[in-house]
Amino acid sequence: MSDKLDLHDGDRREFFRIDDTIRVGLRRVAPEELEGRLERLEQGVEGSFTVMASLAAITAQLAVPLRRIEHDQPDVAAYLKGIDRKLEVLGRAFIAQDPVLASQDAVAVNLSAGGMGLDTREAFAPQTQVEIRMLLFPSFTGVLTYGEVVACDPGLDAGGAPAYHLRVEFTHIREQDRDILIRHILRRQGETLRARRHGD
């Protein structure tokens, strides 16, 4: 299996972190089933949830040629952008049917391309392997990755009910999904900085 899914020790680096609001689905993964799930993810057969991530990766690859077309043939470029928007609508329809996230509310997270922190109602023991489904806004891009629980600290939620603050490190992530997370984080940082400037 390709190591493009793995975040090896040599590749671990500090990533920008942001506070964000996304939909998240967490699922424990037994060690014996992890290998098979990673192979399915690498082969792109994880179903409709990863459609938008795949489309986003293709769009990023075609950005430079599209700019050239836009310069030389603006009508053709406008037509291609319209097709891209149609595909985006179809991709969002696929994601809307995902059973894992359909019942999930958007939650506050601290997100980077290397891991995340969030509050949950359920406790997860450290070193637990988890499947993570993230739905990013406003792009409605679904990112499927696997990680390991680093810490699970008990506490209370905003209403005073028992909760746990979970810190998860991404251990297996496709390169295209990491790029999507990085672009999302940089875009959200830019929005935050613009909002602060306007506030000032």
Side-chain angles (χ1 to χ4, degrees):
M1 187 176 62
S2 167
D3 63 359
K4 291 182 180 178
L5 276 169
D6 297 318
L7 194 61
H8 295 298
D9 288 338
D11 296 329
R12 296 184 197 280
R13 56 189 185 274
E14 291 299 320
F15 293 104
F16 290 113
R17 306 190 71 89
I18 60 165
D19 292 322
D20 201 1
T21 301
I22 63 175
R23 284 190 180 183
V24 183
L26 293 177
R27 177 186 177 278
R28 290 179 176 81
V29 179
E32 60 271 17
E33 66 174 313
L34 180 60
E35 187 71 18
R37 289 185 169 274
L38 293 178
E39 288 180 3
R40 286 176 57 82
L41 180 60
E42 185 179 29
Q43 293 166 9
V45 292
E46 276 298 331
S48 61
F49 183 74
T50 57
V51 165
M52 285 296 284
S54 298
L55 290 176
I58 294 170
T59 298
Q61 292 171 0
L62 297 176
V64 173
L66 183 59
R67 281 197 293 271
R68 293 196 193 105
I69 294 172
E70 196 168 21
H71 180 268
D72 298 329
Q73 298 175 290
D75 289 343
V76 174
Y79 180 77
L80 293 174
K81 288 180 179 179
I83 292 175
D84 194 49
R85 285 193 291 272
K86 286 183 178 181
L87 292 173
E88 185 176 319
V89 170
L90 290 174
R92 291 188 181 195
F94 280 128
I95 288 180
Q97 300 172 15
D98 183 83
V100 176
L101 289 181
S103 61
Q104 298 287 337
D105 294 326
V107 297
V109 299
N110 184 256
L111 179 66
S112 81
M116 66 190 308
L118 74 162
D119 292 334
T120 71
R121 293 292 180 87
E122 184 180 1
F124 289 78
Q127 300 184 338
T128 298
Q129 299 292 319
V130 290
E131 178 188 86
I132 307 153
R133 290 178 180 242
M134 294 177 280
L135 184 60
L136 308 176
F137 300 117
S139 65
F140 278 81
T141 301
V143 173
L144 173 61
T145 183
Y146 291 85
E148 180 178 291
V149 175
V150 176
C152 182
D153 301 320
L156 300 175
D157 65 13
Y164 301 89
H165 184 70
L166 207 64
R167 295 200 302 278
V168 180
E169 181 181 75
F170 302 148
T171 53
H172 303 85
I173 183 170
R174 296 184 300 178
E175 193 66 33
Q176 69 182 48
D177 291 329
R178 185 157 50 207
D179 289 343
I180 286 169
L181 283 177
I182 290 172
R183 287 196 297 271
H184 172 79
I185 288 165
L186 291 175
R187 185 162 50 244
R188 296 290 287 158
Q189 283 183 322
E191 291 170 357
T192 300
L193 290 173
R194 285 192 294 273
R196 287 176 181 171
R197 283 199 297 269
H198 291 155
D200 291 340

